[in-house]
DNA sequence: GACTAACGTTTTTTT
DNA sequence: AACGTTAGTC
């Protein structure tokens, strides 16, 4: 293996083998390379069996990339390191062992929307007003409890002072038993139950300790308490843990991430070897100058400075604009100009924003200007209504207890089971403590209904039963069965009828078509319906090769941009209230917003444009904006401030002169002609 | 029960 | 501006 192109620090990290290792890796310091080389080094030079290496990342994208890189450097058949996200790792453990905790192994996973639906249901049961207590907030608190590994029975309401958290503590057990009744786990549960499993069954823990001799965790600054617990459990007595991260890039505090996990790593794993990667190979000196200047304002951090290996570079532009429309148009124009003059590809550009909502304006302008773009993350494929409907059908086929899914499709499309019947159904379930599916078979329930209602329920039960059987009988044809189902239930025609425009119709048809193809593919790969649904929830990016290969300008949120890099970056919306976000200002988490900006800046390789507006549309209304307070923290050395309006006026003046001569010429020519 | 129109609410970031 | 919820009508 060729280690010569690594710098001394990188080499140290790669070569270290026994005992805890922490790699503090600044942005663009070749972190991914170190991780990959380290894995390869362990296997090839130290003779470690690949399957005893576990690498954990936060996103599927990162996991996928790591797998890809390792695969390219390793021509192993069969044995391969286990590389996955925290959540999918836990999922695999739980699918095998969760029965020990009294759950059935075919549990469903609830995503954010499912969780919200369930919380709303629970709040109704517990008679909590959704007006006084926003369901989202309660859910957020429940998630907070879970991230601290607090179970419902650990709640101590008397220690809680304020209303929302207190209410959430009360709701927690209701929510948790509702999940259990639905045979479902939410995202956090995947971790909670795994930690619980290892806690209650030490032999199981030892078993996995024996399997995983070397553990590597990427983006360590983003681990929360629960994830730290899991890491501690997984790391056996040998303490062969390699944690890689950068406290300056900690941007998931709102999800319970604790920077102390990396800042005080030695508290968890004594006497770690510490390696710092401070040489940046990604960005110009100018871009790094701005980044370093900004992050100096960040309190309590590992002291470090990113050193530029690429000297000089164009100054970073800080542009003032009158409005968001102009901002988007300006970027579009600049991109077009740079592409032709600078011989760039569309893929070289990225537009970064604080929130998804802001991306829409840019998207619209790019479409108008015929600039191809790829939207990352924003409205995920799996968030589309028709996709969720179809997945709900599949979930009901896969898992008879999937109540949230069942209720979603109960009357979608309308089949005579209206609000009344649904209400009776729910009440009956609650009274008898029965599952929805079982209740629909229950004589004492159906006899309560009108003749019409009872008939509708009977038809529905028959329909689902019928298709469940058909899927069971022929897995390979699951795609076809799904298509039949959507036709026979009138779902597809019904949905098409409800579309207002042809474009919408086409999009929906496509989405459903893609889903059918994806299902068929998954079945061909030998996956179960269960696994297909797992992938849909946990890896919510569309598994769409077309989008992967699609060329174009990247539109992406700051959060989603972490770990990525682009030659030219436009970072928009540097306004007080946007970045830092209004909520962050209220909650006092400005420091995290600064790091978010830092992450954004360090994505840029060659050119960086920062911009802010005077006015921006908010809730469909024009609102005045202040430049972000962060703009004052960027230093002056590498910044050039520009004003769009002034430049336009200057250009207009030039145009006027041009116009004057033009009309003179026309006049003279006109005279000459006479 | 199904459909429509008006109303009110929403917005952080992700597995 | 866009979405979900609700009240009112057939």
């Amino acid at each position: 293996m060729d280690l010569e192109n690594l710098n001394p620090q990188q080499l140290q990290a790669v070569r270290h083998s026994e005992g805890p290792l922490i790699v503090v890796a600044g942005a663009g310091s070749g972190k991914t390379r170190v991780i990959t080389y380290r894995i390869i080094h362990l296997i090839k030079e130290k003779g470690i069996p690949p399957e005893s290496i576990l690498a954990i990342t936060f996103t599927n994208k990162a996991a996928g990339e790591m797998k890809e890189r390792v695969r390219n450097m390793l021509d192993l058949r069969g044995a391969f390191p286990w590389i996955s996200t925290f959540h999918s790792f836990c999922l695999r453990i739980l699918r095998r062992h969760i029965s020990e905790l009294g759950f059935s192994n075919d549990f469903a996973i609830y995503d954010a929307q499912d969780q919200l639906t369930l919380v709303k249901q629970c709040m109704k049961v517990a008679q909590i007003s959704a007006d006084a207590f926003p369901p989202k907030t309660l859910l957020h608190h429940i998630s907070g409890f879970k991230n601290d590994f607090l179970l419902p029975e650990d709640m101590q309401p008397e220690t809680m002072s304020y209303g929302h958290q207190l209410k959430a503590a009360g709701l927690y057990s209701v929510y948790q038993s509702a999940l259990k009744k639905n045979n479902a786990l939410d995202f956090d549960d995947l971790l909670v139950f795994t930690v619980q499993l290892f806690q209650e069954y030490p032999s199981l823990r030892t078993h996995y300790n024996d399997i995983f001799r070397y553990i590597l965790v990427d983006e360590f600054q983003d681990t929360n308490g629960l994830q730290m617990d899991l890491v501690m459990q997984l790391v056996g007595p040998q303490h062969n843990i390699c944690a890689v991260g950068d406290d300056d890039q900690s941007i998931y505090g709102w999800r319970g991430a604790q920077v102390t996990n990396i800042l005080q790593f030695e508290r968890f794993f004594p006497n770690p070897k510490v390696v710092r990667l401070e040489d940046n190979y990604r960005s110009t000196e100018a871009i790094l100058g701005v980044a370093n200047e900004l992050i100096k304002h960040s309190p309590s951090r590992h002291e470090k400075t990113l050193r530029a290996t690429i000297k000089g570079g164009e100054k970073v532009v800080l542009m003032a604009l009158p409005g968001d429309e102009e901002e988007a148009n300006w970027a579009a124009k600049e991109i077009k100009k740079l592409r032709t003059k600078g011989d760039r590809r569309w893929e070289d550009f990225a537009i970064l924003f604080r929130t998804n909502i802001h991306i829409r304006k840019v998207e619209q302008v790019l479409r108008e200007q015929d600039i191809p773009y790829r939207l990352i993350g924003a409205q995920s494929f799996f968030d589309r209504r028709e996709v969720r409907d179809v997945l709900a059908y599949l979930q009901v086929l896969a898992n008879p207890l999937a109540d949230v899914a069942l209720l979603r499709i109960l009357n979608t499309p309308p089949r005579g089971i209206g609000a009344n019947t649904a209400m009776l159904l729910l009440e009956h379930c609650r009274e008898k403590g029965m599952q929805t599916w079982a209740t629909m078979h229950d004589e004492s329930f159906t006899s309560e209904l009108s003749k019409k209602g009872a008939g509708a329920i009977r038809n529905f039960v028959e329909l689902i039963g019928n298709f469940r059987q058909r899927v069971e009988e022929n897995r390979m044809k699951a795609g076809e069965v799904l298509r039949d189902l959507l036709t026979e239930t009138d779902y597809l025609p019904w949905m098409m009828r409800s579309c207002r425009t042809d474009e919408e119709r086409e999009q929906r048809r496509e989405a459903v078509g893609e889903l059918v193809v994806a299902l068929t593919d998954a079945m061909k790969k030998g996956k179960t319906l269960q696994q297909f649904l797992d992938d849909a929830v946990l890896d919510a990016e569309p598994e769409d090769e077309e989008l992967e290969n699609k060329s174009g300008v990247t539109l992406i949120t700051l959060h989603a941009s972490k770990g990525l890099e682009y030659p030219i970056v436009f970072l928009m919306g540097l306004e007080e209230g946007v970045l830092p976000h209004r909520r962050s200002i209220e909650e006092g988490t400005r420091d995290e917003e600064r790091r978010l900006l830092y992450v954004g800046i360090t994505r840029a390789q060659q050119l960086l444009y920062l911009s802010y507006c005077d006015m921006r549309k908010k809730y469909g209304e024009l609102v005045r904006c202040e430049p972000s307070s962060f703009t004052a923290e960027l230093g002056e050395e590498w910044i050039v401030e520009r004003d769009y309006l002034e430049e336009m006026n200057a250009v207009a003046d030039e145009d006027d002169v041009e116009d004057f001569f033009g009309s003179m010429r026309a006049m003279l020519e006109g005279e000459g002609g006479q």
Side-chain angles (χ1 to χ4, degrees):
Chain A
M1 195 168 91
D2 184 17
L3 295 177
E4 276 166 26
N5 46 4
L6 295 178
N7 70 29
Q9 294 80 32
Q10 292 176 327
L11 207 55
Q12 273 184 4
V14 169
R15 287 220 173 115
H16 174 91
S17 60
E18 301 296 313
L21 165 70
I22 178 155
V23 181
V24 181
S29 61
K31 181 190 72 170
T32 315
R33 198 161 188 220
V34 166
I35 294 174
T36 327
Y37 274 61
R38 189 177 148 72
I39 292 176
I40 306 291
H41 189 253
L42 283 173
I43 297 170
K44 285 202 176 162
E45 308 294 324
K46 303 269 173 181
I48 308 295
E51 63 275 17
S52 59
I53 298 172
L54 170 66
I56 303 179
T57 63
F58 272 80
T59 64
N60 292 293
K61 199 170 198 161
E65 255 162 48
M66 206 186 286
K67 272 186 210 163
E68 186 63 30
R69 289 211 188 188
V70 170
R71 192 170 291 128
N72 286 342
M73 297 186 64
L74 210 65
D75 35 26
L76 286 180
R77 300 271 157 122
F80 198 78
W82 189 339
I83 301 175
S84 79
T85 64
F86 270 109
H87 290 84
S88 26
F89 172 81
C90 291
L91 176 63
R92 260 174 84 176
I93 299 284
L94 290 178
R95 284 266 181 247
R96 283 178 74 170
H97 304 293
I98 202 173
S99 53
E100 307 283 347
L101 296 174
F103 261 84
S104 133
N105 289 72
D106 62 355
F107 60 85
I109 305 162
Y110 277 10
D111 68 7
Q113 272 192 51
D114 296 328
Q115 290 176 46
L116 205 58
T117 312
L118 195 65
V119 159
K120 283 179 187 164
Q121 276 177 30
C122 293
M123 287 173 71
K124 252 185 207 146
V125 175
Q127 300 198 326
I128 300 173
S129 150
D131 292 329
F133 300 95
K136 263 194 182 162
T137 309
L138 296 189
L139 196 56
H140 177 78
H141 283 297
I142 291 179
S143 172
F145 299 143
K146 292 185 178 184
N147 286 330
D148 290 337
F149 195 50
L150 293 168
L151 305 180
E153 57 265 33
D154 300 326
M155 290 291 99
Q156 292 179 310
E158 60 278 6
T159 65
M160 294 173 187
S161 50
Y162 56 102
H164 287 167
Q165 196 187 33
L166 192 64
K167 266 287 186 257
L171 188 66
Y172 187 8
S173 63
V174 182
Y175 172 69
Q176 215 49 40
S177 44
L179 277 170
K180 177 135 196 191
K181 212 184 102 196
N182 280 280
N183 190 23
L185 270 62
D186 67 17
F187 283 138
D188 299 321
D189 284 343
L190 291 173
L191 283 130
V192 171
F193 286 118
T194 307
V195 170
Q196 203 181 349
L197 187 75
F198 285 145
Q199 204 172 60
E200 286 180 23
Y201 298 90
S203 58
L204 209 56
R205 181 187 160 178
T206 324
H207 170 72
Y208 281 102
N209 283 165
D210 287 341
I211 294 180
F212 305 121
R213 314 298 293 211
Y214 289 85
I215 294 177
L216 192 149
V217 182
D218 193 12
E219 307 284 11
F220 206 80
Q221 75 282 354
D222 289 331
T223 50
N224 61 32
L226 192 53
Q227 284 157 341
M228 192 69 201
D229 288 342
L230 181 65
V231 170
M232 304 249 278
Q233 287 178 332
L234 286 174
V235 173
Q238 325 85 356
H239 275 197
N240 286 333
I241 164 99
C242 167
V244 184
D246 176 9
D247 51 308
D248 287 336
Q249 294 186 68
S250 159
I251 54 173
Y252 284 101
W254 51 275
R255 218 166 68 178
Q258 291 167 1
V259 202
T260 45
N261 288 350
I262 191 168
L263 287 178
Q264 297 165 26
F265 186 73
E266 67 281 358
R267 262 185 29 203
F268 304 95
F269 301 101
N271 304 319
K273 162 103 184 156
V274 181
V275 174
R276 289 168 194 282
L277 306 180
E278 295 176 296
D279 287 320
N280 176 296
Y281 299 98
R282 177 188 292 152
S283 314
T284 63
E285 192 180 3
I287 292 166
L288 281 184
V290 174
N292 280 332
E293 199 59 42
L294 173 76
I295 206 67
K296 268 188 201 162
H297 296 82
S298 186
S300 68
R301 50 187 287 260
H302 266 313
E303 207 43 58
K304 66 175 176 304
T305 311
L306 276 184
R307 286 185 296 266
T309 58
I310 305 167
K311 297 296 172 195
E314 296 277 326
K315 282 196 176 183
V316 173
V317 173
L318 179 60
M319 190 71 154
L321 296 118
D324 49 1
E325 182 99 42
E326 287 88 347
E327 189 183 37
N329 272 311
W330 160 72
K333 221 165 126 189
E334 203 73 24
I335 288 173
K336 277 185 174 170
K337 207 164 71 188
L338 283 165
R339 193 177 89 102
T340 26
K341 277 196 188 166
D343 197 24
R344 307 280 187 173
R345 301 167 306 153
W346 295 122
E347 297 74 58
D348 294 339
F349 300 90
I351 300 180
L352 274 51
F353 240 118
R354 176 63 177 85
T355 71
N356 280 308
I357 194 78
H358 295 298
I359 290 179
R360 287 200 191 167
K361 184 90 235 174
V362 183
E363 198 188 353
Q364 184 198 327
V365 168
L366 293 187
R367 206 177 309 137
E368 283 166 11
Q369 307 246 350
D370 282 322
I371 296 179
Y373 62 86
R374 17 184 258 137
L375 225 155
I376 312 276
Q379 205 219 2
S380 152
F381 175 75
F382 290 101
D383 274 341
R384 302 178 59 119
R385 218 191 71 162
E386 62 276 16
V387 174
R388 292 190 71 86
D389 285 341
V390 175
L391 286 177
Y393 269 103
L394 286 176
Q395 214 178 91
V396 170
L397 295 186
N399 182 352
L401 305 183
D403 272 11
V404 167
L406 187 68
L407 292 174
R408 181 179 182 102
I409 59 164
L410 190 59
N411 203 33
T412 315
R415 52 170 73 89
I417 310 175
N420 268 331
T421 312
M423 192 84 89
L424 283 171
L425 178 64
L426 281 179
E427 257 166 45
H428 198 93
C429 288
R430 198 177 319 151
E431 274 169 30
K432 298 253 174 130
M434 285 169 73
Q435 303 292 338
T436 315
W437 181 247
T439 307
M440 288 197 282
H441 290 84
D442 189 13
E443 264 297 305
S444 68
F445 165 64
T446 46
S447 59
E448 270 178 39
L449 299 171
S450 64
K451 213 172 173 189
K452 201 176 151 211
I457 291 280
R458 197 164 347 104
N459 285 339
F460 179 74
V461 167
E462 205 174 298
L463 177 91
I464 295 300
N466 182 7
F467 275 98
R468 196 170 278 164
Q469 204 182 346
R470 279 172 68 179
V471 172
E472 282 299 313
E473 277 167 8
N474 198 343
R475 297 209 104 77
M476 285 325 245
K477 294 250 169 81
E480 276 171 46
V481 176
L482 177 61
R483 203 165 263 297
D484 288 349
L485 174 98
L486 297 178
T487 318
E488 280 175 43
T489 53
D490 194 42
Y491 177 80
L492 213 48
W494 168 77
M495 203 186 58
M496 290 302 155
R497 264 179 268 135
S498 72
C499 293
R500 273 177 314 211
T501 63
D502 281 347
E503 201 196 341
E504 211 181 335
R505 217 179 314 269
E506 199 40 51
Q507 278 180 1
R508 291 194 165 175
R509 191 196 307 281
E510 248 172 52
V512 173
E514 257 176 55
L515 212 47
V516 173
V517 172
L519 177 64
T520 312
D521 283 354
M523 294 296 144
K524 271 190 203 147
K525 284 184 193 155
K527 288 188 178 175
T528 62
L529 193 50
Q530 182 79 254
Q531 283 170 326
F532 175 75
L533 290 167
D534 286 350
D535 287 349
V537 182
L538 282 185
D539 191 1
E541 284 290 307
E543 216 175 292
D544 182 355
E545 276 144 43
E546 243 176 86
L547 191 125
E548 284 291 306
N549 303 330
K550 198 175 148 193
S551 77
V553 176
T554 300
L555 305 187
I556 194 169
T557 62
L558 288 168
H559 280 90
S561 75
K562 194 169 65 165
L564 306 174
E565 58 185 16
Y566 303 92
I568 302 163
V569 167
F570 288 80
L571 211 163
M572 297 186 167
L574 261 89
E575 292 135 37
E576 209 61 13
V578 177
L579 180 64
H581 194 274
R582 189 182 49 94
R583 291 283 287 265
S584 292
I585 300 173
E586 285 165 13
E587 288 163 15
T589 54
R590 296 175 65 100
D591 292 334
E592 182 153 307
E593 299 285 301
R594 184 188 291 106
R595 291 192 292 267
L596 201 47
L597 175 56
Y598 175 77
V599 166
I601 291 175
T602 51
R603 297 311 94 198
Q605 294 172 300
Q606 295 154 23
L607 297 176
L608 175 62
Y609 296 80
L610 308 171
S611 62
Y612 59 89
C613 304
D614 255 7
M615 305 276 270
R616 185 180 293 283
K617 266 221 172 122
K618 214 174 173 188
Y619 303 145
E621 227 185 331
L622 267 181
V623 184
R624 267 218 108 70
C625 313
E626 296 267 313
S628 164
S629 49
F630 297 142
T631 56
E633 301 180 356
L634 302 171
E636 287 175 0
E637 192 183 352
W638 299 106
I639 290 277
V640 49
E641 291 199 47
R642 286 170 50 183
D643 189 296
Y644 178 79
L645 276 185
E646 280 174 17
E647 289 178 16
M648 285 314 279
N649 285 334
V651 172
D653 290 345
E654 279 167 31
D655 282 352
D656 286 348
V657 176
E658 191 64 25
D659 280 356
F660 174 76
F661 283 120
S663 40
M664 282 293 281
R665 215 174 296 128
M667 262 172 67
L668 291 170
E669 275 167 20
E671 264 171 61
Q674 261 178 1

